[in-house]
Amino acid sequence: MENLSSGGVFCNTFGAEEVTLRCSDGIELAALRWVSPSSKTMFTDGDHATKCRHRIICLHGWMDNASSFHRLAPALANLENVGVVEEIVAIDFPGHGRSSHKSADSTQILSDYGYYVMEALTEMGWRDSSNKDPKYKITIVAHSM
């Protein structure tokens, strides 16, 4: 996962950080990552996985992109019934937002989105690619699919 911002993210600011997730088929998914103010720490890619307890992945609809979750992400982080949410990521599917596009001769069908979600979870370290099981409690928030 590549950090596109100019430095680390302080959890108490709850600002979005732009990241790029590289998929095994060569597609690069752009994503926005928010870190909950409840964490009160600064992380780097090497140590953040062990500090986060609950994670949320946000998936946009057909004619949308990850930016549609800017207003919702802070509210999601403060839901008491889901436990401590320490990381929220909204991905741009291929051809949307800042993600790369598939080649003109390729097809893109709804089931491809499931593949890219699993690729994103693996790239972020939220799931172990060898056994396919999630490492953390993960909630999926999606609209207009």
Side-chain angles (χ1 to χ4, degrees):
M1 181 166 39
E2 179 182 339
N3 179 341
L4 299 180
S5 69
S6 60
V9 176
F10 284 94
C11 296
N12 60 0
T13 63
F14 209 73
E17 171 190 23
E18 292 184 19
V19 296
T20 299
L21 307 170
R22 287 175 178 68
C23 299
S24 60
D25 66 352
I27 292 290
E28 292 186 349
L29 300 177
L32 296 173
R33 179 169 65 182
W34 293 267
V35 181
S36 171
S38 65
S39 177
K40 304 284 191 231
T41 61
M42 183 176 162
F43 64 80
T44 62
D45 286 342
D47 68 359
H48 82 280
T50 59
K51 294 180 181 175
C52 299
R53 289 179 265 174
H54 186 122
R55 289 142 182 233
I56 298 175
I57 186 165
C58 299
L59 311 174
H60 64 75
W62 287 109
M63 301 298 290
D64 210 347
N65 61 58
S67 294
S68 63
F69 292 98
H70 270 292
R71 289 187 176 196
L72 184 60
L76 290 173
N78 292 316
L79 292 176
E80 292 182 19
N81 61 336
V82 298
V84 177
V85 176
E86 295 190 5
E87 191 171 2
I88 299 170
V89 173
I91 64 172
D92 282 329
F93 285 115
H96 294 263
R98 295 185 178 196
S99 288
S100 59
H101 292 254
K102 295 177 95 174
S103 65
D105 62 343
S106 69
T107 61
Q108 185 163 326
I109 56 178
L110 185 60
S111 61
D112 289 347
Y113 285 5
Y115 165 79
Y116 289 109
V117 170
M118 296 305 282
E119 288 282 299
L121 294 175
T122 300
E123 178 70 10
M124 293 184 296
W126 292 14
R127 95 188 235 289
D128 185 343
S129 61
S130 64
N131 65 16
K132 312 294 187 223
D133 291 331
K135 292 180 174 181
Y136 308 96
K137 182 176 179 183
I138 299 170
T139 298
I140 298 172
V141 174
H143 73 85
S144 308
M145 305 300 291

